[in-house]
Amino acid sequence: EGLIPHGNLNWLGPIYSMITVSQDVFCIAIIVGVIWAAIRRLSGNIKRLVVSPSEQRDAMIILTLIFVIVTSLFLTNASRLGANEEYSWAIKPISGLLHPLFTNGNFSKIVFETSWWLHILVIFGFMNYLPHSKHLHVITSIPNVYFSNLGTVNKLEKIDFEQVGLEKFGKGDIED
């Protein structure tokens, strides 16, 4: 949408509405989770979360980037509603609560463009930062799960004793 105006999934109709509702709900859950994780990490009461200053800084950078990504998405959605550029199928319950803050059309468009680009640029920065942090597992977990063995873990293979006997002693030795 930043490059192609109105380039979105609105053509999906009611499915787009389900996507926007779930997007709002998950964004709130992510904000609550990030705040909770920051409080737990900064409180120092949990022994495994007491780490070196560089690890603490790395964790707080990741939490901050996630928070900025999600809040910029809320600002994008709320300002789009304020600019009356929302689409017929879109239902955004949480962003709709923020929408009265953006009643001025020009201001709403400026906030929309700014928050949209902030959202995208922070995502790009986040994806570039991850390989150099201890949070590389965020990227590697997807291929790791995809290529993992779906069979039973630590399963012993059946031994064919007849075949083992033939290989060890030869066919003539067993028959004698």
Side-chain angles (χ1 to χ4, degrees):
E1 277 184 286
L3 299 175
I4 302 169
H6 306 292
N8 58 29
L9 300 176
N10 184 42
W11 54 270
L12 291 173
I15 295 171
Y16 182 66
S17 184
M18 291 186 331
I19 292 170
T20 59
V21 169
S22 64
Q23 184 184 56
D24 263 16
V25 170
F26 280 110
C27 284
I28 283 294
I30 291 168
I31 287 174
V32 169
V34 164
I35 292 171
W36 180 254
I39 290 170
R40 286 185 61 199
R41 183 162 286 282
L42 294 174
S43 70
N45 295 335
I46 301 170
K47 188 175 182 180
R48 66 182 174 85
L49 295 179
V50 176
V51 293
S52 69
S54 66
E55 289 178 331
Q56 181 79 346
R57 184 182 66 246
D58 185 49
M60 294 310 293
I61 288 171
I62 295 292
L63 289 174
T64 303
L65 290 173
I66 292 170
F67 185 81
V68 170
I69 288 168
V70 175
T71 52
S72 64
L73 182 62
F74 271 132
L75 283 174
T76 300
N77 291 337
S79 61
R80 181 186 298 148
L81 287 170
N84 292 323
E85 291 186 9
E86 192 49 77
Y87 310 101
S88 58
W89 291 105
I91 300 172
K92 298 179 178 172
I94 312 301
S95 298
L97 295 175
L98 299 174
H99 140 264
L101 299 173
F102 305 101
T103 54
N104 183 340
N106 290 333
F107 175 71
S108 297
K109 288 180 182 183
I110 292 170
V111 171
F112 170 75
E113 290 291 329
T114 305
S115 59
W116 192 94
W117 281 105
L118 175 69
H119 179 74
I120 294 302
L121 293 174
V122 172
I123 288 174
F124 287 154
F126 182 72
M127 296 304 290
N128 281 305
Y129 180 73
L130 282 178
H132 304 287
S133 74
K134 69 176 188 168
H135 295 86
L136 180 62
H137 65 275
V138 173
I139 295 174
T140 59
S141 62
I142 294 170
N144 188 27
V145 169
Y146 181 76
F147 291 114
S148 65
N149 184 4
L150 298 178
T152 307
V153 179
N154 297 330
K155 178 183 176 187
L156 293 174
E157 297 294 325
K158 291 183 180 180
I159 300 174
D160 184 3
F161 289 106
E162 291 179 12
Q163 184 65 30
V164 171
L166 289 174
E167 290 172 1
K168 186 172 184 178
F169 300 109
K171 188 175 181 182
D173 295 338
I174 294 177
E175 291 176 1
D176 291 340

